[in-house]
Amino acid sequence: MATDNAEDTGDLSISLVQKMLSAVTGSVLTSLLVTPLDVVRIRLQSQQHTASTSHTRPYAATLPITQFRDLPPNLGISACCREVFWINNNAPYCVAGPTIAPITPPSAACAVEEIERRSFNSTLDGLRKIAKHEGPRTLWRGLSPTLVMAVPANVIYFAGYDWLRTSSTSPFKGTVPDSYSPLVAGATARVLAAIAVSPIEMFRTRMQAAHHASTPAGHFRETFDGLREMVAAQGIHSLWRGLTLTLWRDVPFSAIYWWGYEGGRNVLTDVRGRAEARKDGLEFSLGVGTDKVRRRYRSRSRENHTATLTDSFVAGAASGSVAALVTTPFDVGKTRQQVVRHMGDGQGTGSKAANFIRPEDRSMPRFLWHIFKEQGMPGLFKGWAARCLKVAPACAIMISSYEIGKKMANDINERKGVRRHEN
């Protein structure tokens, strides 16, 4: 009976600690490899949309000079003695030395140069410009909070998914059909993980979205001070700002991903089983119901590490790509909501005092509808290439590392069991 149950779950004697270690290993590898793409994705999604900027009204009449008093006193001077800032996301001003003045025709070339340097047209363009103007190390900005976030998030996510999906004590066992259990278990595990690490993700997103040139320690300190001021002004709950959009993005993503991954692994396992049966001159039986599940688990338990790595990598990359593309609009909304207030969080509620409601303050459906009306479908899918290029290898590396780690742990446990039996 124990053997049958093990075959049903596919985990055999793998302990929770071993699953956690497998998830940690995958998290570290994934974070190191895909952080540059994440930095570019956030920059692409949070940069100013030029179509919404007014070009008809005089810049001098846009804002009173008192709005500039909170600018940092140590602003750097660029090669052409100008630095362009987007004040309230709608007016470019040049700053030179102690004076602040609107852009004039003689300095237009400088403004164009600075705007071009800060504007990304594609994922590759973003990687090139960030490395050139801010240094290659900037591409790994936010790696520390990424690791701090990824490790507990993936431990909760993957270990939680395995428990919800396979444990006999899972609340979904016997209540959700097997064909839909990956969808339900994946969505539930993601909700728990997202709630746990939302404050860390807020910190990471704001740190990666910063454009100012300074040391990594300066970026860390600046972001930390900004969050501290935000909590003091708006309360501890502000650390979970954007959680609703995060859940709108991550819950359907996880449901689609795990459903697609389990289906993809099953297809690859069946293809491998047919090939092996044909090689041995045997007739392949797909099976039905519980027999089909047990056959697949037995087949996977006999796989070598290369086969497990290949199947999980391919299934994870394919499923992750589809899930990432479908949920990109929610990712765009989440990112913009979290970073648009970067300059105003430490200054209280000035915009609200002026009876001004920003689009990012609206509910998720209304905010995404605003993006669609303003920018169309390209606005909703801004950064989709960077997101898919990041998510596909990330999912592939993470799930294959996790599966290989579990298989190695299972092999170790089996050898220990054989030795105990012999003794």
Side-chain angles (χ1 to χ4, degrees), residues 52 127 200:
S52 63
L127 289 171
I200 306 174

Side-chain angles (χ1 to χ4, degrees), residues 105-127:
S107 61
C110 163
V112 171
E113 175 187 329
E114 292 296 329
I115 294 172
E116 174 64 23
R117 179 171 68 86
R118 293 171 180 271
S119 300
F120 305 147
N121 301 317
S122 65
T123 302
L124 293 178
D125 184 53
L127 289 171

Side-chain angles (χ1 to χ4, degrees), residues 8 34 43 84 96 109 130 157 195 215 253 318 331 348 372 386 409:
D8 287 342
V34 304
R43 295 284 188 90
V84 175
I130 291 176
Y157 184 38
I195 293 174
T215 63
F253 175 90
D331 186 54
F372 176 75

Side-chain angles (χ1 to χ4, degrees), residues 5 25 38 114 120 151 155 223 242 275 282 287 310 382:
N5 188 46
T25 302
D38 205 32
E114 292 296 329
F120 305 147
V151 170
V155 166
T223 306
L282 302 175
T310 301
K382 183 179 293 184

